[in-house]
Amino acid sequence: MLKVKLNSQAPEAIETAALVTWAFQGPPAPPNTAGGGEDAERMGDESPALPPEELRLESGLAALDHRSGGRLAELSAAGELTGKAGEALLLHQPPGFKAKRLLLLGAGKPEKFSLHDIRNLTGTAARYLKGRGVSEFTFWFRPLQAGMSAGDAAEAAVEGAALANFDPDRYQTDKKNRKAIESLQLAGLVSDAEQGIRRGLIIAEAQNLTRELVNEPGNRLTPRIFAERAAEAARQAGLSVDILDENRMRELKMGALLSVAQGSAEPPRMVVLTYTPPGWSEASKPVLGFVGKGITFDSGGISIKPGEGMEKMKYDMAGGAAMVGALRAVAELKPGVKVIGVVPLSENLPGSKAQKPGDVQIAMSGKSIEVINTDAEGRLVLADALAYARQLGATHLIDAATLTGAIVVALGGVHAGAFANNQPFLDAFQASARAAGEKFWPMPLDDDYHDNITSDIADIRNTGKGRGGGAINAAMFLKEFVGDTPWIHLDIAGTAWLEEGRPWMAKGPTGICVRTLVHFAEHFGG
Ligand code: BES
Ligand code: MN
Ligand code: ZN
């Protein structure tokens, strides 16, 4: 785990392997009025060229330039230091500093600078430096923008570094180029940053726990193993844990979940993690239910998927893993609201006992379902998990699931889809998403879509009828199982796995939802 401490020394006095800070992009250079624009250029006017973009040597950075004997102004004039987002400039043995290196990261336009940039800057620094064998650095905050508190800035900085430390390299024996950042110092923050550091570590470690689970291949994370690992992480944090096996599922008549599991030799599980705040009483409201899809491998079942890319379907438990991470952070941060996490776990395989297209299943709620396509299994396991969360007393539900390929088509890898039956509840969730730096796009869920999921022989069918609106049809199906409970469904199929690495984040599992859910639990009053 990353070690973090505050350092109140002046930046030049800090002994560190790398002193890291940001540089803003300056205003565009004024037009060259000396010799008449294009003509002058064509005629080879020799007036000295202005630097393309001038570095704003504002506040601390100007002092830093001065101390380094004008090196930064020189680099700026040469166009090597522009402050553009994504730029990284490393100077060794910077004159006037005790630090061994000075790393300047472009931060774009100052007007747009936010906490999310801070998160990505420390992340970029961490990945840049650990890739070069550096295991410790100091992030120097210069004066913060108005409205940015030291605590929030520290939290974002710590999150960025801790998230950047994660690489999905558990099964690689040669990790010598992947050393981690072991310690981080934060300099230039005045006060109340300690609390931010603590929160940042808790939240990022929870998100990394989620990513670690999502990265696990199907053979090493069956429903039973997922349940054990979730239980272990939860008990350490003081959550209460209940794991339902197939016998209890039968008693509860979870016919939808059991129908998915019947095609596999591996038995299903349902993980229930409960956080109860100090002083909670039965009459206390609200109770949040966090429900996450936990298909540890999705082959499609009898409606089998094409082979190409099927290996990625080990990530079909990303929603469930997000709930485990969120509940662990909640247990450590201790908000005032009760939270119940429910994760239905199963494989979806075409074994000899597998369900078949056309089969009719009776869900725990009593609704009958015609299974048109066994690959639409996520909604089946969630149907019973949502019903169970309500039975356990959840007054508000949020589910997350890698539910449809259609959401990937609709929103790509940037936004997850957010469906809701209650606008104020979704508004509150979106406020948390903005604060946490995660993106969800609102999707429709009106009754006009209901015709898509009616069945000739049962109450509903598990796929839509036409070709369009696949993510909406899936959400409409789930809606059948939440009654009048305020509910949000997050389709994270496009956002749970990063297809290409970023300067601040490894390619692979993202841990989407964890930060927003934790923030939401901390701020939700009903
Ligand atoms: N786990 C998949 C969703 C998925 C598909 C995620 C592709 C990422 C990429 C889900 O269980 C599934 O197979 N959904 C089907 C539903 C269809 C059969 C109605 C889909 O989206 O193709
Ligand atoms: Mn499927
Ligand atoms: Zn699936």
Side-chain angles (χ1 to χ4, degrees), residues 420-452:
N421 63 357
N422 181 300
Q423 192 60 42
F425 189 44
L426 181 60
D427 292 343
F429 179 83
Q430 289 288 40
S432 287
R434 277 191 295 277
E438 295 186 321
K439 292 183 175 182
F440 301 89
W441 198 260
M443 298 288 289
L445 202 61
D446 8 331
D447 291 333
D448 307 59
Y449 290 101
H450 184 76
D451 285 347
N452 281 339

PDB file of all heavy atoms in Angstrom, residues 420-452:
ATOM      1  N   ALA A 420     -33.198   5.259 -14.732  1.00  0.00           N
ATOM      2  CA  ALA A 420     -33.792   5.421 -13.404  1.00  0.00           C
ATOM      3  C   ALA A 420     -35.299   5.539 -13.492  1.00  0.00           C
ATOM      4  O   ALA A 420     -35.839   5.985 -14.498  1.00  0.00           O
ATOM      5  CB  ALA A 420     -33.201   6.636 -12.705  1.00  0.00           C
ATOM      6  N   ASN A 421     -35.958   5.139 -12.397  1.00  0.00           N
ATOM      7  CA  ASN A 421     -37.415   5.298 -12.340  1.00  0.00           C
ATOM      8  C   ASN A 421     -37.796   6.473 -11.443  1.00  0.00           C
ATOM      9  O   ASN A 421     -38.950   6.628 -11.078  1.00  0.00           O
ATOM     10  CB  ASN A 421     -38.074   4.004 -11.837  1.00  0.00           C
ATOM     11  CG  ASN A 421     -37.658   3.662 -10.409  1.00  0.00           C
ATOM     12  OD1 ASN A 421     -36.828   4.357  -9.814  1.00  0.00           O
ATOM     13  ND2 ASN A 421     -38.221   2.602  -9.866  1.00  0.00           N
ATOM     14  N   ASN A 422     -36.803   7.280 -11.054  1.00  0.00           N
ATOM     15  CA  ASN A 422     -37.045   8.361 -10.100  1.00  0.00           C
ATOM     16  C   ASN A 422     -36.034   9.472 -10.347  1.00  0.00           C
ATOM     17  O   ASN A 422     -34.841   9.293 -10.112  1.00  0.00           O
ATOM     18  CB  ASN A 422     -36.907   7.764  -8.688  1.00  0.00           C
ATOM     19  CG  ASN A 422     -37.155   8.767  -7.591  1.00  0.00           C
ATOM     20  OD1 ASN A 422     -36.468   9.781  -7.488  1.00  0.00           O
ATOM     21  ND2 ASN A 422     -38.144   8.490  -6.766  1.00  0.00           N
ATOM     22  N   GLN A 423     -36.501  10.599 -10.853  1.00  0.00           N
ATOM     23  CA  GLN A 423     -35.583  11.649 -11.296  1.00  0.00           C
ATOM     24  C   GLN A 423     -34.767  12.290 -10.164  1.00  0.00           C
ATOM     25  O   GLN A 423     -33.551  12.447 -10.305  1.00  0.00           O
ATOM     26  CB  GLN A 423     -36.343  12.714 -12.095  1.00  0.00           C
ATOM     27  CG  GLN A 423     -35.435  13.695 -12.850  1.00  0.00           C
ATOM     28  CD  GLN A 423     -34.533  13.022 -13.872  1.00  0.00           C
ATOM     29  OE1 GLN A 423     -34.961  12.128 -14.602  1.00  0.00           O
ATOM     30  NE2 GLN A 423     -33.262  13.427 -13.907  1.00  0.00           N
ATOM     31  N   PRO A 424     -35.391  12.661  -9.028  1.00  0.00           N
ATOM     32  CA  PRO A 424     -34.582  13.259  -7.959  1.00  0.00           C
ATOM     33  C   PRO A 424     -33.461  12.320  -7.485  1.00  0.00           C
ATOM     34  O   PRO A 424     -32.351  12.763  -7.172  1.00  0.00           O
ATOM     35  CB  PRO A 424     -35.590  13.516  -6.830  1.00  0.00           C
ATOM     36  CG  PRO A 424     -36.913  13.590  -7.509  1.00  0.00           C
ATOM     37  CD  PRO A 424     -36.830  12.683  -8.701  1.00  0.00           C
ATOM     38  N   PHE A 425     -33.775  11.033  -7.444  1.00  0.00           N
ATOM     39  CA  PHE A 425     -32.767  10.048  -7.025  1.00  0.00           C
ATOM     40  C   PHE A 425     -31.601  10.035  -8.017  1.00  0.00           C
ATOM     41  O   PHE A 425     -30.430  10.064  -7.624  1.00  0.00           O
ATOM     42  CB  PHE A 425     -33.444   8.678  -6.946  1.00  0.00           C
ATOM     43  CG  PHE A 425     -32.615   7.583  -6.329  1.00  0.00           C
ATOM     44  CD1 PHE A 425     -31.876   7.801  -5.176  1.00  0.00           C
ATOM     45  CD2 PHE A 425     -32.604   6.311  -6.894  1.00  0.00           C
ATOM     46  CE1 PHE A 425     -31.127   6.775  -4.599  1.00  0.00           C
ATOM     47  CE2 PHE A 425     -31.866   5.275  -6.328  1.00  0.00           C
ATOM     48  CZ  PHE A 425     -31.120   5.520  -5.181  1.00  0.00           C
ATOM     49  N   LEU A 426     -31.925  10.069  -9.306  1.00  0.00           N
ATOM     50  CA  LEU A 426     -30.868  10.106 -10.324  1.00  0.00           C
ATOM     51  C   LEU A 426     -30.082  11.419 -10.250  1.00  0.00           C
ATOM     52  O   LEU A 426     -28.853  11.420 -10.384  1.00  0.00           O
ATOM     53  CB  LEU A 426     -31.461   9.922 -11.724  1.00  0.00           C
ATOM     54  CG  LEU A 426     -30.439   9.921 -12.879  1.00  0.00           C
ATOM     55  CD1 LEU A 426     -29.428   8.784 -12.716  1.00  0.00           C
ATOM     56  CD2 LEU A 426     -31.133   9.799 -14.236  1.00  0.00           C
ATOM     57  N   ASP A 427     -30.785  12.530 -10.001  1.00  0.00           N
ATOM     58  CA  ASP A 427     -30.088  13.818  -9.887  1.00  0.00           C
ATOM     59  C   ASP A 427     -29.052  13.777  -8.757  1.00  0.00           C
ATOM     60  O   ASP A 427     -27.932  14.267  -8.910  1.00  0.00           O
ATOM     61  CB  ASP A 427     -31.086  14.954  -9.629  1.00  0.00           C
ATOM     62  CG  ASP A 427     -31.982  15.227 -10.838  1.00  0.00           C
ATOM     63  OD1 ASP A 427     -31.635  14.785 -11.957  1.00  0.00           O
ATOM     64  OD2 ASP A 427     -33.039  15.867 -10.658  1.00  0.00           O
ATOM     65  N   ALA A 428     -29.458  13.208  -7.639  1.00  0.00           N
ATOM     66  CA  ALA A 428     -28.535  13.125  -6.502  1.00  0.00           C
ATOM     67  C   ALA A 428     -27.330  12.243  -6.865  1.00  0.00           C
ATOM     68  O   ALA A 428     -26.177  12.560  -6.544  1.00  0.00           O
ATOM     69  CB  ALA A 428     -29.252  12.563  -5.276  1.00  0.00           C
ATOM     70  N   PHE A 429     -27.615  11.172  -7.569  1.00  0.00           N
ATOM     71  CA  PHE A 429     -26.529  10.276  -7.998  1.00  0.00           C
ATOM     72  C   PHE A 429     -25.573  11.006  -8.943  1.00  0.00           C
ATOM     73  O   PHE A 429     -24.343  10.896  -8.808  1.00  0.00           O
ATOM     74  CB  PHE A 429     -27.115   9.037  -8.678  1.00  0.00           C
ATOM     75  CG  PHE A 429     -26.069   8.079  -9.166  1.00  0.00           C
ATOM     76  CD1 PHE A 429     -25.502   7.148  -8.300  1.00  0.00           C
ATOM     77  CD2 PHE A 429     -25.618   8.117 -10.484  1.00  0.00           C
ATOM     78  CE1 PHE A 429     -24.512   6.278  -8.741  1.00  0.00           C
ATOM     79  CE2 PHE A 429     -24.631   7.254 -10.930  1.00  0.00           C
ATOM     80  CZ  PHE A 429     -24.081   6.329 -10.056  1.00  0.00           C
ATOM     81  N   GLN A 430     -26.133  11.759  -9.877  1.00  0.00           N
ATOM     82  CA  GLN A 430     -25.290  12.474 -10.846  1.00  0.00           C
ATOM     83  C   GLN A 430     -24.405  13.517 -10.160  1.00  0.00           C
ATOM     84  O   GLN A 430     -23.283  13.770 -10.601  1.00  0.00           O
ATOM     85  CB  GLN A 430     -26.148  13.133 -11.937  1.00  0.00           C
ATOM     86  CG  GLN A 430     -26.787  12.136 -12.909  1.00  0.00           C
ATOM     87  CD  GLN A 430     -25.793  11.484 -13.867  1.00  0.00           C
ATOM     88  OE1 GLN A 430     -24.687  11.130 -13.482  1.00  0.00           O
ATOM     89  NE2 GLN A 430     -26.184  11.326 -15.114  1.00  0.00           N
ATOM     90  N   ALA A 431     -24.921  14.122  -9.100  1.00  0.00           N
ATOM     91  CA  ALA A 431     -24.096  15.088  -8.358  1.00  0.00           C
ATOM     92  C   ALA A 431     -22.884  14.368  -7.768  1.00  0.00           C
ATOM     93  O   ALA A 431     -21.754  14.884  -7.812  1.00  0.00           O
ATOM     94  CB  ALA A 431     -24.921  15.769  -7.271  1.00  0.00           C
ATOM     95  N   SER A 432     -23.095  13.178  -7.247  1.00  0.00           N
ATOM     96  CA  SER A 432     -21.971  12.394  -6.709  1.00  0.00           C
ATOM     97  C   SER A 432     -21.006  11.990  -7.815  1.00  0.00           C
ATOM     98  O   SER A 432     -19.788  12.003  -7.631  1.00  0.00           O
ATOM     99  CB  SER A 432     -22.476  11.133  -6.005  1.00  0.00           C
ATOM    100  OG  SER A 432     -23.075  11.479  -4.778  1.00  0.00           O
ATOM    101  N   ALA A 433     -21.552  11.627  -8.972  1.00  0.00           N
ATOM    102  CA  ALA A 433     -20.696  11.218 -10.091  1.00  0.00           C
ATOM    103  C   ALA A 433     -19.776  12.366 -10.501  1.00  0.00           C
ATOM    104  O   ALA A 433     -18.580  12.167 -10.736  1.00  0.00           O
ATOM    105  CB  ALA A 433     -21.550  10.770 -11.280  1.00  0.00           C
ATOM    106  N   ARG A 434     -20.349  13.567 -10.565  1.00  0.00           N
ATOM    107  CA  ARG A 434     -19.515  14.725 -10.928  1.00  0.00           C
ATOM    108  C   ARG A 434     -18.421  14.944  -9.901  1.00  0.00           C
ATOM    109  O   ARG A 434     -17.268  15.187 -10.239  1.00  0.00           O
ATOM    110  CB  ARG A 434     -20.381  15.980 -11.064  1.00  0.00           C
ATOM    111  CG  ARG A 434     -21.059  16.106 -12.432  1.00  0.00           C
ATOM    112  CD  ARG A 434     -21.689  17.486 -12.600  1.00  0.00           C
ATOM    113  NE  ARG A 434     -22.783  17.697 -11.650  1.00  0.00           N
ATOM    114  CZ  ARG A 434     -24.031  17.254 -11.859  1.00  0.00           C
ATOM    115  NH1 ARG A 434     -24.338  16.588 -12.956  1.00  0.00           N
ATOM    116  NH2 ARG A 434     -24.979  17.478 -10.960  1.00  0.00           N
ATOM    117  N   ALA A 435     -18.787  14.845  -8.632  1.00  0.00           N
ATOM    118  CA  ALA A 435     -17.791  15.071  -7.577  1.00  0.00           C
ATOM    119  C   ALA A 435     -16.696  14.007  -7.633  1.00  0.00           C
ATOM    120  O   ALA A 435     -15.532  14.290  -7.344  1.00  0.00           O
ATOM    121  CB  ALA A 435     -18.474  15.070  -6.211  1.00  0.00           C
ATOM    122  N   ALA A 436     -17.075  12.794  -7.998  1.00  0.00           N
ATOM    123  CA  ALA A 436     -16.112  11.692  -7.986  1.00  0.00           C
ATOM    124  C   ALA A 436     -15.343  11.581  -9.301  1.00  0.00           C
ATOM    125  O   ALA A 436     -14.404  10.797  -9.410  1.00  0.00           O
ATOM    126  CB  ALA A 436     -16.831  10.374  -7.689  1.00  0.00           C
ATOM    127  N   GLY A 437     -15.765  12.342 -10.309  1.00  0.00           N
ATOM    128  CA  GLY A 437     -15.059  12.291 -11.592  1.00  0.00           C
ATOM    129  C   GLY A 437     -15.366  11.051 -12.407  1.00  0.00           C
ATOM    130  O   GLY A 437     -14.496  10.526 -13.098  1.00  0.00           O
ATOM    131  N   GLU A 438     -16.614  10.554 -12.329  1.00  0.00           N
ATOM    132  CA  GLU A 438     -17.023   9.436 -13.185  1.00  0.00           C
ATOM    133  C   GLU A 438     -18.214   9.894 -14.033  1.00  0.00           C
ATOM    134  O   GLU A 438     -18.950  10.795 -13.629  1.00  0.00           O
ATOM    135  CB  GLU A 438     -17.388   8.214 -12.338  1.00  0.00           C
ATOM    136  CG  GLU A 438     -16.186   7.666 -11.584  1.00  0.00           C
ATOM    137  CD  GLU A 438     -16.456   6.374 -10.828  1.00  0.00           C
ATOM    138  OE1 GLU A 438     -17.549   6.217 -10.240  1.00  0.00           O
ATOM    139  OE2 GLU A 438     -15.558   5.519 -10.802  1.00  0.00           O
ATOM    140  N   LYS A 439     -18.391   9.262 -15.205  1.00  0.00           N
ATOM    141  CA  LYS A 439     -19.388   9.764 -16.148  1.00  0.00           C
ATOM    142  C   LYS A 439     -20.497   8.761 -16.444  1.00  0.00           C
ATOM    143  O   LYS A 439     -20.225   7.635 -16.843  1.00  0.00           O
ATOM    144  CB  LYS A 439     -18.696  10.150 -17.464  1.00  0.00           C
ATOM    145  CG  LYS A 439     -17.791  11.349 -17.302  1.00  0.00           C
ATOM    146  CD  LYS A 439     -17.176  11.765 -18.613  1.00  0.00           C
ATOM    147  CE  LYS A 439     -16.383  13.057 -18.397  1.00  0.00           C
ATOM    148  NZ  LYS A 439     -15.795  13.539 -19.635  1.00  0.00           N
ATOM    149  N   PHE A 440     -21.742   9.236 -16.275  1.00  0.00           N
ATOM    150  CA  PHE A 440     -22.923   8.416 -16.556  1.00  0.00           C
ATOM    151  C   PHE A 440     -23.863   9.247 -17.403  1.00  0.00           C
ATOM    152  O   PHE A 440     -24.103  10.417 -17.098  1.00  0.00           O
ATOM    153  CB  PHE A 440     -23.616   8.016 -15.245  1.00  0.00           C
ATOM    154  CG  PHE A 440     -22.719   7.238 -14.316  1.00  0.00           C
ATOM    155  CD1 PHE A 440     -21.906   7.892 -13.390  1.00  0.00           C
ATOM    156  CD2 PHE A 440     -22.654   5.858 -14.391  1.00  0.00           C
ATOM    157  CE1 PHE A 440     -21.049   7.187 -12.549  1.00  0.00           C
ATOM    158  CE2 PHE A 440     -21.800   5.138 -13.555  1.00  0.00           C
ATOM    159  CZ  PHE A 440     -21.004   5.804 -12.631  1.00  0.00           C
ATOM    160  N   TRP A 441     -24.388   8.664 -18.468  1.00  0.00           N
ATOM    161  CA  TRP A 441     -25.288   9.408 -19.338  1.00  0.00           C
ATOM    162  C   TRP A 441     -26.718   8.913 -19.132  1.00  0.00           C
ATOM    163  O   TRP A 441     -26.966   7.714 -19.171  1.00  0.00           O
ATOM    164  CB  TRP A 441     -24.876   9.240 -20.809  1.00  0.00           C
ATOM    165  CG  TRP A 441     -25.487  10.297 -21.653  1.00  0.00           C
ATOM    166  CD1 TRP A 441     -26.593  10.184 -22.442  1.00  0.00           C
ATOM    167  CD2 TRP A 441     -25.041  11.658 -21.755  1.00  0.00           C
ATOM    168  NE1 TRP A 441     -26.851  11.392 -23.025  1.00  0.00           N
ATOM    169  CE2 TRP A 441     -25.936  12.311 -22.632  1.00  0.00           C
ATOM    170  CE3 TRP A 441     -23.986  12.394 -21.182  1.00  0.00           C
ATOM    171  CZ2 TRP A 441     -25.802  13.670 -22.955  1.00  0.00           C
ATOM    172  CZ3 TRP A 441     -23.854  13.732 -21.506  1.00  0.00           C
ATOM    173  CH2 TRP A 441     -24.749  14.354 -22.386  1.00  0.00           C
ATOM    174  N   PRO A 442     -27.666   9.844 -18.931  1.00  0.00           N
ATOM    175  CA  PRO A 442     -29.052   9.417 -18.688  1.00  0.00           C
ATOM    176  C   PRO A 442     -29.684   8.778 -19.924  1.00  0.00           C
ATOM    177  O   PRO A 442     -29.554   9.296 -21.034  1.00  0.00           O
ATOM    178  CB  PRO A 442     -29.766  10.709 -18.309  1.00  0.00           C
ATOM    179  CG  PRO A 442     -28.924  11.805 -18.868  1.00  0.00           C
ATOM    180  CD  PRO A 442     -27.520  11.308 -18.881  1.00  0.00           C
ATOM    181  N   MET A 443     -30.344   7.668 -19.726  1.00  0.00           N
ATOM    182  CA  MET A 443     -30.977   6.902 -20.806  1.00  0.00           C
ATOM    183  C   MET A 443     -32.473   6.796 -20.523  1.00  0.00           C
ATOM    184  O   MET A 443     -32.898   6.842 -19.381  1.00  0.00           O
ATOM    185  CB  MET A 443     -30.362   5.501 -20.869  1.00  0.00           C
ATOM    186  CG  MET A 443     -28.875   5.450 -21.170  1.00  0.00           C
ATOM    187  SD  MET A 443     -28.459   5.856 -22.880  1.00  0.00           S
ATOM    188  CE  MET A 443     -29.066   4.408 -23.737  1.00  0.00           C
ATOM    189  N   PRO A 444     -33.290   6.647 -21.576  1.00  0.00           N
ATOM    190  CA  PRO A 444     -34.744   6.640 -21.377  1.00  0.00           C
ATOM    191  C   PRO A 444     -35.262   5.304 -20.858  1.00  0.00           C
ATOM    192  O   PRO A 444     -34.622   4.272 -21.028  1.00  0.00           O
ATOM    193  CB  PRO A 444     -35.269   6.910 -22.791  1.00  0.00           C
ATOM    194  CG  PRO A 444     -34.224   6.355 -23.686  1.00  0.00           C
ATOM    195  CD  PRO A 444     -32.909   6.548 -22.988  1.00  0.00           C
ATOM    196  N   LEU A 445     -36.433   5.377 -20.275  1.00  0.00           N
ATOM    197  CA  LEU A 445     -37.029   4.179 -19.666  1.00  0.00           C
ATOM    198  C   LEU A 445     -38.549   4.312 -19.630  1.00  0.00           C
ATOM    199  O   LEU A 445     -39.184   3.932 -18.668  1.00  0.00           O
ATOM    200  CB  LEU A 445     -36.466   4.044 -18.239  1.00  0.00           C
ATOM    201  CG  LEU A 445     -36.479   2.696 -17.551  1.00  0.00           C
ATOM    202  CD1 LEU A 445     -35.655   1.685 -18.324  1.00  0.00           C
ATOM    203  CD2 LEU A 445     -35.912   2.821 -16.144  1.00  0.00           C
ATOM    204  N   ASP A 446     -39.133   4.916 -20.675  1.00  0.00           N
ATOM    205  CA  ASP A 446     -40.594   5.098 -20.591  1.00  0.00           C
ATOM    206  C   ASP A 446     -41.353   3.827 -20.927  1.00  0.00           C
ATOM    207  O   ASP A 446     -40.827   2.910 -21.543  1.00  0.00           O
ATOM    208  CB  ASP A 446     -41.124   6.260 -21.445  1.00  0.00           C
ATOM    209  CG  ASP A 446     -40.113   6.903 -22.368  1.00  0.00           C
ATOM    210  OD1 ASP A 446     -38.913   6.889 -22.041  1.00  0.00           O
ATOM    211  OD2 ASP A 446     -40.542   7.400 -23.413  1.00  0.00           O
ATOM    212  N   ASP A 447     -42.625   3.839 -20.528  1.00  0.00           N
ATOM    213  CA  ASP A 447     -43.468   2.660 -20.703  1.00  0.00           C
ATOM    214  C   ASP A 447     -43.645   2.265 -22.164  1.00  0.00           C
ATOM    215  O   ASP A 447     -43.964   1.117 -22.461  1.00  0.00           O
ATOM    216  CB  ASP A 447     -44.834   2.896 -20.056  1.00  0.00           C
ATOM    217  CG  ASP A 447     -44.713   2.941 -18.537  1.00  0.00           C
ATOM    218  OD1 ASP A 447     -43.765   2.309 -18.015  1.00  0.00           O
ATOM    219  OD2 ASP A 447     -45.540   3.603 -17.887  1.00  0.00           O
ATOM    220  N   ASP A 448     -43.440   3.231 -23.070  1.00  0.00           N
ATOM    221  CA  ASP A 448     -43.583   2.913 -24.500  1.00  0.00           C
ATOM    222  C   ASP A 448     -42.661   1.769 -24.934  1.00  0.00           C
ATOM    223  O   ASP A 448     -42.905   1.124 -25.948  1.00  0.00           O
ATOM    224  CB  ASP A 448     -43.246   4.147 -25.349  1.00  0.00           C
ATOM    225  CG  ASP A 448     -44.039   5.372 -24.922  1.00  0.00           C
ATOM    226  OD1 ASP A 448     -43.914   5.762 -23.736  1.00  0.00           O
ATOM    227  OD2 ASP A 448     -44.773   5.909 -25.745  1.00  0.00           O
ATOM    228  N   TYR A 449     -41.602   1.552 -24.171  1.00  0.00           N
ATOM    229  CA  TYR A 449     -40.682   0.458 -24.520  1.00  0.00           C
ATOM    230  C   TYR A 449     -41.171  -0.905 -24.025  1.00  0.00           C
ATOM    231  O   TYR A 449     -40.598  -1.935 -24.351  1.00  0.00           O
ATOM    232  CB  TYR A 449     -39.288   0.717 -23.949  1.00  0.00           C
ATOM    233  CG  TYR A 449     -38.537   1.850 -24.628  1.00  0.00           C
ATOM    234  CD1 TYR A 449     -38.462   3.112 -24.047  1.00  0.00           C
ATOM    235  CD2 TYR A 449     -37.896   1.644 -25.851  1.00  0.00           C
ATOM    236  CE1 TYR A 449     -37.767   4.146 -24.666  1.00  0.00           C
ATOM    237  CE2 TYR A 449     -37.201   2.673 -26.472  1.00  0.00           C
ATOM    238  CZ  TYR A 449     -37.138   3.924 -25.880  1.00  0.00           C
ATOM    239  OH  TYR A 449     -36.457   4.929 -26.489  1.00  0.00           O
ATOM    240  N   HIS A 450     -42.211  -0.873 -23.188  1.00  0.00           N
ATOM    241  CA  HIS A 450     -42.605  -2.128 -22.536  1.00  0.00           C
ATOM    242  C   HIS A 450     -43.019  -3.215 -23.528  1.00  0.00           C
ATOM    243  O   HIS A 450     -42.748  -4.405 -23.309  1.00  0.00           O
ATOM    244  CB  HIS A 450     -43.723  -1.879 -21.523  1.00  0.00           C
ATOM    245  CG  HIS A 450     -44.092  -3.110 -20.758  1.00  0.00           C
ATOM    246  ND1 HIS A 450     -43.301  -3.601 -19.731  1.00  0.00           N
ATOM    247  CD2 HIS A 450     -45.112  -3.986 -20.910  1.00  0.00           C
ATOM    248  CE1 HIS A 450     -43.844  -4.717 -19.275  1.00  0.00           C
ATOM    249  NE2 HIS A 450     -44.936  -4.976 -19.964  1.00  0.00           N
ATOM    250  N   ASP A 451     -43.658  -2.813 -24.620  1.00  0.00           N
ATOM    251  CA  ASP A 451     -44.097  -3.791 -25.630  1.00  0.00           C
ATOM    252  C   ASP A 451     -42.966  -4.698 -26.094  1.00  0.00           C
ATOM    253  O   ASP A 451     -43.198  -5.832 -26.517  1.00  0.00           O
ATOM    254  CB  ASP A 451     -44.634  -3.054 -26.878  1.00  0.00           C
ATOM    255  CG  ASP A 451     -46.013  -2.474 -26.622  1.00  0.00           C
ATOM    256  OD1 ASP A 451     -46.619  -2.860 -25.590  1.00  0.00           O
ATOM    257  OD2 ASP A 451     -46.470  -1.650 -27.432  1.00  0.00           O
ATOM    258  N   ASN A 452     -41.752  -4.170 -26.048  1.00  0.00           N
ATOM    259  CA  ASN A 452     -40.593  -4.949 -26.493  1.00  0.00           C
ATOM    260  C   ASN A 452     -40.348  -6.202 -25.675  1.00  0.00           C
ATOM    261  O   ASN A 452     -39.672  -7.115 -26.136  1.00  0.00           O
ATOM    262  CB  ASN A 452     -39.319  -4.091 -26.425  1.00  0.00           C
ATOM    263  CG  ASN A 452     -39.194  -3.152 -27.598  1.00  0.00           C
ATOM    264  OD1 ASN A 452     -39.804  -3.389 -28.633  1.00  0.00           O
ATOM    265  ND2 ASN A 452     -38.417  -2.110 -27.436  1.00  0.00           N
TER     266      ASN A 452
END
